Amino acid sequence: MKKKIGILGGISHTSTIKYYQTLMNLYYERFGNYYYPEIIMHSLDFQYFTDLENELRLQEYEDYIVYSMHCLEKAGADFIIMAANSPHSVLAEVRKRIGTPILSIVDAVGRAAQKKNVQRLLLTGIKYTMQSDFYRNGMRNYGIEIVTPNDEEQNLIDQIIFKELVLNIILDKSREDFLAIINRYPVDGVILGCTELPLLLGDKDTKILLLNSLHLHCEMALNYTLGDSSKT
């Protein structure tokens, strides 16, 4: 029996939809049949969640994530993935309060990066993620240094995500601006550390190594649901 996947979603709905679609596509590409794993989803209030991040109300933030995970546990999820990067900032604390396994998007990215033998990566995402230390600390476990864009560039990336990508608005000008930012940094690759950023930029758009956190997280989840823990 495949393990039931619990998705903590809604942050944003656009990337949550992409998670579901990617999981289905990855399964079909691998097996060519429709015996898809069962998926349970709980969608959070995106504005409330974002307010908690922006105002650094971290205990309330953690409690809201735990509440969602309890909903997924009660619905029968065998393990959980959070369909966003930023809530992984409190993953260690949340794991202490949840009995169900939670798969880390940071580990998904770190393992993929390690296989590429990279040493220095540019982290992009919302300001909360770029200004937090959970990616920096997590990547140390894989021998990888993290650098981040400057304040002005962070503001621009954050605006592109919240004003455009979460609404599924994809603008060529924003893609050009984002490419200009990542081209300024002497790094081995770029972490698309917001699950909406792959909507804006893909491998066809640049020769720079892109680590698509959403896709890598979905691959980890698919391996786990199939019982292949050696790939998670």
Side-chain angles (χ1 to χ4, degrees):
M1 289 289 292
K2 303 178 187 70
K3 296 181 178 70
K4 293 180 183 177
I5 305 171
I7 298 179
L8 188 157
I11 42 177
S12 69
H13 75 278
T14 302
S15 62
T16 304
I17 291 167
K18 192 65 176 176
Y19 258 85
Y20 184 88
Q21 182 184 54
T22 301
L23 282 165
M24 297 297 100
N25 288 344
L26 285 172
Y27 180 89
Y28 189 82
E29 287 168 7
R30 191 179 298 187
F31 298 102
N33 61 49
Y34 306 123
Y35 294 107
Y36 297 127
E38 296 180 23
I39 294 177
I40 301 162
M41 188 181 302
H42 187 257
S43 184
L44 297 181
D45 178 333
F46 184 43
Q47 186 61 64
Y48 174 55
F49 185 84
T50 302
D51 290 344
L52 295 178
E53 283 186 339
N54 292 338
E55 296 166 17
L56 296 178
R57 292 151 59 188
L58 296 184
Q59 187 57 59
E60 195 174 347
Y61 181 71
E62 180 187 322
D63 290 344
Y64 193 37
I65 292 169
V66 169
Y67 152 74
S68 180
M69 291 191 176
H70 281 157
C71 291
L72 291 167
E73 285 183 322
K74 290 175 183 177
D78 292 314
F79 69 99
I80 296 170
I81 54 174
M82 296 187 285
N85 282 268
S86 60
H88 289 78
S89 62
V90 293
L91 177 59
E93 292 79 6
V94 169
R95 277 178 166 162
K96 295 173 184 176
R97 300 172 61 182
I98 297 293
T100 302
I102 307 165
L103 304 190
S104 167
I105 200 169
V106 177
D107 284 334
V109 172
R111 292 170 189 179
Q114 192 175 54
K115 289 177 182 177
K116 298 286 187 181
N117 295 315
V118 300
Q119 295 182 328
R120 196 165 187 256
L121 295 173
L122 179 70
L123 173 64
T124 60
I126 64 171
K127 284 176 66 175
Y128 177 88
T129 295
M130 291 186 285
Q131 294 177 1
S132 298
D133 60 6
F134 67 97
Y135 253 107
R136 193 180 309 277
N137 293 337
M139 288 298 117
R140 286 197 189 104
N141 296 328
Y142 300 94
I144 296 168
E145 178 189 358
I146 291 293
V147 297
T148 53
N150 65 38
D151 289 345
E152 181 180 351
E153 293 164 341
Q154 288 188 22
N155 287 333
L156 177 57
I157 295 170
D158 193 77
Q159 181 176 338
I160 290 171
I161 292 168
F162 280 109
K163 298 297 185 182
E164 300 168 20
L165 300 182
V166 299
L167 299 173
N168 207 31
I169 298 171
I170 316 298
L171 301 179
D172 289 339
K173 175 62 165 59
S174 295
R175 182 180 295 108
E176 292 169 5
D177 289 342
F178 187 71
L179 277 168
I181 291 171
I182 66 177
N183 279 321
R184 293 184 189 123
Y185 290 85
V187 292
D188 301 315
V190 176
I191 299 173
L192 299 180
C194 172
T195 48
E196 284 83 18
L197 281 174
L199 300 172
L200 183 68
L201 195 71
D203 292 333
K204 68 182 185 304
D205 301 306
T206 179
K207 294 181 180 179
I208 298 171
L209 172 66
L210 300 177
L211 292 161
N212 180 337
S213 61
L214 185 154
H215 195 274
L216 294 169
H217 205 199
C218 286
E219 287 182 332
M220 174 183 272
L222 181 60
N223 291 331
Y224 195 88
T225 195
L226 297 172
D228 191 351
S229 59
S230 66
K231 296 181 179 179
T232 61

